[in-house]
Amino acid sequence: MLRYFAHSEARLGNVSRPLARYYHSEKGVWGYKPIARRDFQVAEDVRASRNSQGNVYRWVEAFRQHGHKLATVNPISIRPSSQQELQELSPAFYGLQTQETVRTAGLLSGPQVAQNVAQLEQLLKDIYCGRSVSAEFSYVEDIEEREWLAKNFETLDQHQLENSERCEIAELLIKSQAWDNFMALKFPTVKRYGGEGAESMLAFFWQLLRDSVQGNIEHVVLAMPHRGRTPLQAALFNMRPAKVFRKLSGASEFAEDIEAMSDVISHFHVSEQLQVLGKSLNFSMVRNPSHLEAANPVAMGKTRSKQQTRGEGAFGITDSQPFGQHVLNVILHGDAAFAGQGINQECLNMAYVPHFEVGGSLHLIVNNQVGFTTPGDRGRSTAYTSDLAKSIQAPVFHVNGDDPEALARITNLAFRYQREFRKDIFIDLNCFRRWGHNELDDPTFTNPLVYKIVHQRGSVPDSYAQQLAQAQVLSESQAKQIRDDYMKYLGEELALAPTYEPPPSFFEKQWKNLQLAPSKELTYWDTGLDYGLLHYIGQQSVTFPEDFNIHPHLLKTHVNARLKKLENGVKIDWSTAEALAIGSLMYQGHNVRISGEDVGRGTFSHRHAMLVDQQTNEMFLPLNSMEGGNGGKLELAHSILSEEAVLGFEYGMAIDNPNNLIIWEAQFGDFANGAQIIIDTFIVSGETKWMESNALVMLLPHGYDGAASEHSSCRIERFLQLSDSKETAPDGDAVNVHIVNPTTPAQYYHVLRRQLARNFRKPLVVVAPKTLLRLPAATSTHEDFQPGTLFHNVLGDTTVQPEQVRKVILCSGKHYYTLAEEREKRQAYDTAILRLESLSPFPFQELQGQLAQYGNVKSFVWSQEEHRNMGAWTFVRPRFENLIGQQLHYCGRCEAPTPATGIGKVHKREVDEIVAAPFEL
């Protein structure tokens, strides 16, 4: 019987030695605590044995390093088994004679005993060059981990399954195959992406669930691609087959009254409370798009969010508890996708980074050995599809998919390693894909030799059932009964499909107090607060300990300057307004997380939510020391230089807990295009596909200030194109993504607070400023934050007399200030300038209300910094003309293939032209 062995307490020496990662803090901050290095010593008698048999020990180590090269774990190899002998594994290479006496104590673990070199060689080949499993871990730097892995791998065969457990695995494999057979029979034209050829993965999950409940895991979060997803969900995770059959009949997976565009069956998910060995286990599978591996960082973020909710790791009150105590992250990969998709490198690089760690993930690569039509060795430059795992020294076990019992044993070993060291570990399941990329595809066009083998061999479930029958564990009639009963059950579910009513699957648990946004109206939310409280919060945002050595420049320009602005209640700038928004949410009990590159200081050195002691290098977050309120905390997550995986991680946190504010800030707005997959397939479409809301905030610095193509535009037009805002009818809050371009600090303050004030959640794109951060005109007063104040979708013009206005210029963002300055120079007081602070939803009612006061207007102009084929022009024009009923003229840069020129003189000329044009039209 395979049993989970409990995590042993970390063994510490007399002196706790921190890891070589100081991260501006040896004390730790909320979300990160340094971990003491474990003190491990190889036993003296073991060292003595190895030293006395130095050449024998070197030979044993060679098997641990190279034995996998001779292992035959591929069930469909088109190459004959290699008879080549590696010189590194020859005893003669180490000066050893075949009959030379050896002592295995201290050299090899387990009960096996070898009297001489020949016997030891056979033992080593059986362990490290077998047909069912091989191992790679010699590159792991930590000696304790290497010793642990060697000991537990070399004793793997001691953990045998009981017959009843073997029958349970067989039942799962038979059901998986029966599902695919039933689907092929009843829905022959459906691309179902079945699990045929990889059914052994059910043994992985069977063992994983048992180990989890025995190891006190309360929640497992899983990311998984499409192949084999539905048979797994139906056989093991309580998904009603009627849900799938109803979907295939043309209906939605949601109730009829839910307006959702829905998704395909291979993207279905489950979130269930399972009963395993008499214990409850929460199991959630994150949604996946067709973009392979994109769900992985989402699962990591969701895992960390759940750990935060439970107070695990650096979110707890004790220093000793590691991450992952009760929440485990599991990721399944495809072979070609794991090697080929860069997001995997990004995720692995995040694995142990402060504020992104989750206590190690357990990985299974379902290695079909072909990517669409590309043979495995043509889809990578490495020997194994799993070799990327070595970049973080994660051990890898290669398993033959024809041996589900070996997979169960390795799963148990991998689980125990993850529990012991809280690090990532990989299982490479060598299996096959019985059909093509989908069941309607013919793989013999491109891989005839492989599929000649596949078509001539039996299935994995049938082979395993036959093996158990021969061992008199499960008879053929019993196996047939399992299949027949399951096929009968599927038939009953198919008959029920027309009347099946999908149960509620959203706005439950932590989301129960929220709802969908209204589709026919824009709502307004009072986000103002008493200025006395805000004044206090602002003071706390720059308060530091007496013995803290602050940078003298920050003391003058950041700390003292902020205190003066707060005291006077005027000239409140962007960073102060942000601190007031975040601090007030914390005061109300919400946790806030800001993630991205350089977020502590801010790309433009404006935020300084993190102070660094100039003598000790110690980090200090002033707002986390704020007294009073309901105890919300701020986490500043300095990310790796990545957009896609980091944004996916933040999305995972945002979908898990609607009461936390999750902010991702791009270093420059256009860098968001590195995360386009996450934006397209999760953030803006997750609600309509999966009824999964989120309030993720994306801060995208934008503005034309001579920085050329890559640092000028956040590509507003692309986000507007992703919006489902209507062109011919007024919008409601239900628009899928809210896009704002605020021009005052108070507006920014209100829109951040609004994210959590509303009774629904929507992703927010903030076209964030650069020059406005310090522009004297772009400031607010204390009155702009008082109770009764809110975010305005349109800011009107209070500097002109309405009856004198003959022209109205509409704009958005920082461009307003250059237009206002130009109007003042020209004294063109017959021109009103209106600011569209919100673009999506389009603020028709507010805009109409503002325009109503100008009864003598002869022309309406849209003015923007961006080129005509960019910016908001093509979004605003049809809505303005269709809803307002007036023609809108364009003033801005002409069409261009790139956002901005890199020639200084040209930039200046363009600025002069686009500022003058609206007044001269």
Side-chain angles (χ1 to χ4, degrees):
M1 178 178 182
L2 296 186
R3 292 180 175 86
Y4 166 70
F5 294 88
H7 168 69
S8 63
E9 293 298 322
R11 294 173 290 280
L12 302 179
N14 294 329
V15 179
S16 293
R17 294 178 295 166
L19 292 172
R21 180 195 294 280
Y22 293 97
Y23 185 64
H24 287 315
S25 180
E26 294 184 55
K27 299 177 182 178
V29 293
W30 198 70
Y32 167 74
K33 291 177 183 176
I35 302 173
R37 188 184 296 275
R38 292 162 60 128
D39 184 21
F40 173 80
Q41 299 292 329
V42 176
E44 185 175 345
D45 61 324
V46 173
R47 294 200 308 269
S49 176
R50 294 172 181 178
N51 289 334
S52 65
Q53 304 179 91
N55 284 350
V56 179
Y57 177 57
R58 289 169 57 214
W59 182 43
V60 171
E61 284 289 285
F63 268 92
R64 290 169 176 162
Q65 181 177 358
H66 301 289
H68 63 89
K69 299 175 183 177
L70 298 184
T72 53
V73 295
N74 185 352
I76 56 165
S77 177
I78 61 175
R79 299 179 180 86
S81 299
S82 175
Q83 302 300 317
Q84 178 184 1
E85 293 290 336
L86 296 178
Q87 60 178 341
E88 297 96 327
L89 302 185
S90 169
F93 191 75
Y94 303 91
L96 301 175
Q97 302 298 319
T98 302
Q99 298 305 315
E100 185 175 336
T101 301
V102 296
R103 300 184 308 278
T104 55
L107 302 182
L108 200 64
S109 299
Q112 307 97 326
V113 177
Q115 304 295 331
N116 54 41
V117 168
Q119 293 177 3
L120 180 56
E121 182 176 27
Q122 189 58 51
L123 277 178
L124 291 170
K125 286 183 176 180
D126 290 344
I127 294 170
Y128 285 102
C129 308
R131 295 186 59 84
S132 291
V133 61
S134 63
E136 291 186 276
F137 56 83
S138 63
Y139 47 81
V140 175
E141 291 181 2
D142 188 272
I143 188 172
E144 182 185 6
E145 292 181 45
R146 291 200 310 274
E147 293 286 324
W148 190 98
L149 288 162
K151 175 183 176 180
N152 285 275
F153 185 72
E154 288 164 6
T155 57
L156 187 65
D157 285 342
Q158 294 182 30
H159 307 289
Q160 295 295 328
L161 293 165
E162 295 180 357
N163 285 343
S164 61
E165 296 171 329
R166 300 167 78 187
C167 289
E168 289 180 24
I169 292 176
E171 181 177 349
L172 290 174
L173 268 61
I174 291 168
K175 286 182 176 179
S176 179
Q177 178 173 260
W179 171 277
D180 282 319
N181 291 344
F182 186 87
M183 292 288 287
L185 179 66
K186 300 297 183 180
F187 304 97
T189 61
V190 169
K191 300 176 182 178
R192 64 182 185 275
Y193 301 102
E196 292 164 286
E199 291 95 344
S200 285
M201 78 167 77
L202 274 293
F204 166 84
F205 283 104
W206 176 86
Q207 185 66 51
L208 171 68
L209 298 181
R210 297 166 69 87
D211 286 342
S212 293
V213 295
Q214 292 176 339
N216 296 318
I217 295 294
E218 298 173 1
H219 203 123
V220 174
V221 179
L222 171 68
M224 178 183 181
H226 50 283
R227 189 166 305 285
R229 194 176 174 104
T230 50
L232 171 66
Q233 291 171 319
L236 197 56
F237 296 142
N238 300 340
M239 183 185 72
R240 285 283 302 276
K243 175 183 176 180
V244 175
F245 302 149
R246 179 180 190 271
K247 174 72 175 182
L248 293 177
S249 71
S252 171
E253 59 268 36
F254 303 109
E256 295 297 337
D257 60 337
I258 300 299
E259 295 182 5
M261 295 182 71
S262 303
D263 207 346
V264 295
I265 61 170
S266 56
H267 296 170
F268 278 9
H269 96 303
V270 292
S271 181
E272 290 286 332
Q273 187 173 69
L274 306 176
Q275 294 299 315
V276 182
L277 300 179
K279 297 181 179 181
S280 294
L281 176 67
N282 292 301
F283 188 95
S284 56
M285 179 186 293
V286 300
R287 275 89 170 180
N288 66 306
S290 292
H291 290 73
L292 297 172
E293 311 292 324
N296 300 349
V298 177
M300 294 172 67
K302 186 170 185 177
T303 299
R304 186 171 174 92
S305 177
K306 293 187 179 302
Q307 292 169 346
Q308 182 186 99
T309 300
R310 285 167 171 76
E312 287 193 12
F315 296 121
I317 59 175
T318 63
D319 293 332
S320 59
Q321 188 190 76
F323 277 107
Q325 196 76 355
H326 300 294
V327 186
L328 174 65
N329 186 50
V330 179
I331 302 178
L332 263 66
H333 308 271
D335 50 324
F338 182 70
Q341 291 294 318
I343 196 171
N344 289 310
Q345 185 271 338
E346 297 178 22
C347 287
L348 292 181
N349 199 23
M350 287 196 301
Y352 310 131
V353 170
H355 304 291
F356 293 90
E357 57 188 324
V358 296
S361 298
L362 184 56
H363 302 259
L364 175 70
I365 300 175
V366 180
N367 189 351
N368 297 306
Q369 306 184 67
V370 62
F372 206 153
T373 65
T374 304
D377 56 4
R378 292 293 185 94
R380 61 181 187 270
S381 295
T382 58
Y384 294 111
T385 187
S386 58
D387 279 345
L388 182 62
K390 298 174 184 177
S391 66
I392 59 167
Q393 301 176 44
V396 177
F397 297 103
H398 307 282
V399 183
N400 190 323
D402 281 350
D403 192 341
E405 293 182 22
L407 178 58
R409 289 195 295 271
I410 281 294
T411 301
N412 174 258
L413 191 161
F415 182 86
R416 288 187 285 121
Y417 171 87
Q418 191 277 337
R419 294 284 83 199
E420 179 72 23
F421 298 102
R422 301 297 163 89
K423 290 188 174 182
D424 287 54
I425 188 167
F426 281 75
I427 300 172
D428 173 24
L429 177 63
N430 287 257
C431 50
F432 59 92
R433 194 180 66 197
R434 179 160 292 279
W435 312 111
H437 178 66
N438 59 69
E439 289 74 16
L440 309 183
D441 181 39
D442 187 348
T444 62
F445 293 152
T446 51
N447 294 283
L449 296 184
V450 167
Y451 277 89
K452 181 178 180 181
I453 296 173
V454 170
H455 292 157
Q456 289 177 346
R457 57 159 291 155
S459 72
V460 176
D462 288 347
S463 298
Y464 186 54
Q466 291 169 9
Q467 176 186 333
L468 296 187
Q470 292 171 0
Q472 298 184 344
V473 173
L474 181 72
S475 67
E476 292 183 7
S477 61
Q478 288 174 314
K480 182 177 184 301
Q481 189 65 50
I482 292 171
R483 180 185 183 280
D484 291 346
D485 288 348
Y486 196 61
M487 292 289 278
K488 179 183 177 182
Y489 165 67
L490 295 178
E492 293 169 349
E493 286 287 290
L494 179 60
L496 290 173
T499 58
Y500 172 75
E501 292 293 334
S505 59
F506 49 92
F507 297 132
E508 297 181 305
K509 300 178 182 176
Q510 65 267 35
W511 285 82
K512 64 182 179 181
N513 295 323
L514 296 165
Q515 60 189 41
L516 290 172
S519 60
K520 298 185 183 301
E521 63 175 340
L522 297 179
T523 55
Y524 299 87
W525 301 82
D526 180 357
T527 46
L529 290 171
D530 179 77
Y531 188 70
L533 174 60
L534 292 178
H535 188 185
Y536 167 74
I537 292 170
Q539 289 176 322
Q540 293 300 299
S541 73
V542 289
T543 298
F544 52 88
E546 291 184 4
D547 61 350
F548 189 87
N549 300 286
I550 192 170
H551 194 290
H553 182 72
L554 289 184
L555 179 63
K556 176 182 178 181
T557 63
H558 178 67
V559 176
N560 292 338
R562 176 171 293 180
L563 292 173
K564 182 178 179 181
K565 293 169 185 175
L566 290 167
E567 184 65 30
N568 295 333
V570 296
K571 298 182 179 179
I572 296 174
D573 61 9
W574 213 271
S575 65
T576 302
E578 181 184 77
L580 297 181
I582 290 171
S584 61
L585 288 171
M586 294 168 59
Y587 196 87
Q588 293 173 325
H590 300 286
N591 295 323
V592 179
R593 173 182 168 96
I594 308 178
S595 170
E597 299 152 19
D598 312 313
V599 292
R601 186 201 74 167
T603 298
F604 309 103
S605 195
H606 67 287
R607 179 173 291 124
H608 297 290
M610 170 196 81
L611 303 176
V612 179
D613 190 296
Q614 296 301 295
Q615 293 186 16
T616 67
N617 211 49
E618 191 70 23
M619 177 196 297
F620 180 72
L621 276 63
L623 280 173
N624 280 343
S625 296
M626 178 172 58
E627 296 181 355
N630 293 321
K633 292 293 184 180
L634 170 64
E635 182 174 24
L636 290 177
H638 291 126
S639 75
I640 63 172
L641 198 70
S642 154
E643 283 75 42
E644 184 179 2
V646 172
L647 186 57
F649 191 100
E650 307 311 323
Y651 173 80
M653 295 201 72
I655 60 173
D656 182 66
N657 194 330
N659 298 313
N660 294 337
L661 182 64
I662 309 299
I663 301 172
W664 177 73
E665 182 176 60
Q667 193 175 57
F668 287 89
D670 56 311
F671 290 174
N673 59 18
Q676 202 66 50
I677 289 174
I678 302 298
I679 295 167
D680 291 352
T681 63
F682 289 102
I683 296 173
V684 304
S685 61
E687 188 173 81
T688 191
K689 290 193 296 186
W690 310 314
M691 297 304 296
E692 191 162 71
S693 303
N694 77 88
L696 179 66
V697 178
M698 298 174 59
L699 302 181
L700 308 179
H702 173 93
Y704 282 56
D705 49 21
S709 291
E710 275 73 60
H711 289 344
S712 296
S713 174
C714 74
R715 295 288 192 171
I716 301 173
E717 64 279 359
R718 294 182 179 175
F719 289 96
L720 292 173
Q721 185 186 44
L722 293 172
S723 166
D724 64 355
S725 166
K726 300 177 180 65
E727 286 192 6
T728 58
D731 284 332
D733 282 325
V735 169
N736 65 320
V737 57
H738 289 200
I739 304 169
V740 299
N741 195 355
T743 57
T744 72
Q747 283 281 86
Y748 178 48
Y749 159 91
H750 287 298
V751 82
L752 288 182
R753 285 187 46 77
R754 190 182 71 171
Q755 281 298 93
L756 297 188
R758 301 188 290 196
N759 59 359
F760 58 88
R761 295 292 181 261
K762 285 290 181 179
L764 175 68
V765 174
V766 179
V767 182
K770 295 183 291 181
T771 58
L772 297 194
L773 297 173
R774 294 178 176 84
L775 186 69
T779 57
S780 300
T781 72
H782 69 92
E783 296 176 345
D784 300 322
F785 302 87
Q786 299 277 20
T789 57
L790 45 77
F791 177 79
H792 295 282
N793 295 321
V794 178
L795 287 182
D797 194 335
T798 60
T799 64
V800 295
Q801 298 298 319
E803 65 275 6
Q804 296 178 4
V805 172
R806 299 295 184 269
K807 178 186 295 182
V808 173
I809 299 175
L810 289 87
C811 65
S812 188
K814 80 154 182 103
H815 188 48
Y816 162 77
Y817 292 97
T818 55
L819 291 172
E821 183 180 4
E822 181 70 13
R823 180 178 62 183
E824 191 64 28
K825 289 179 182 178
R826 293 172 178 262
Q827 296 187 352
Y829 301 127
D830 63 344
T831 301
I833 305 175
L834 302 185
R835 287 171 269 179
L836 268 63
E837 300 283 289
S838 170
L839 292 166
S840 172
F842 188 73
F844 162 64
Q845 290 92 344
E846 283 190 47
L847 181 58
Q848 187 180 52
Q850 289 289 338
L851 293 175
Q853 61 185 312
Y854 305 121
N856 300 317
V857 174
K858 295 182 178 180
S859 64
F860 298 90
V861 178
W862 173 259
S863 180
Q864 66 178 35
E865 290 186 297
E866 299 83 10
H867 292 277
R868 187 167 186 147
N869 57 322
M870 303 173 196
W873 163 243
T874 56
F875 181 86
V876 171
R877 182 186 184 185
R879 288 161 179 80
F880 184 89
E881 294 185 348
N882 291 334
L883 299 175
I884 302 298
Q886 298 287 340
Q887 183 180 8
L888 188 64
H889 300 281
Y890 173 80
C891 284
R893 287 176 168 87
C894 64
E895 294 85 349
T898 190
T901 180
I903 304 171
K905 292 181 179 179
V906 174
H907 170 74
K908 186 179 184 306
R909 185 182 72 237
E910 289 178 344
V911 170
D912 293 341
E913 290 174 352
I914 65 171
V915 172
F919 298 97
E920 297 172 355
L921 186 68

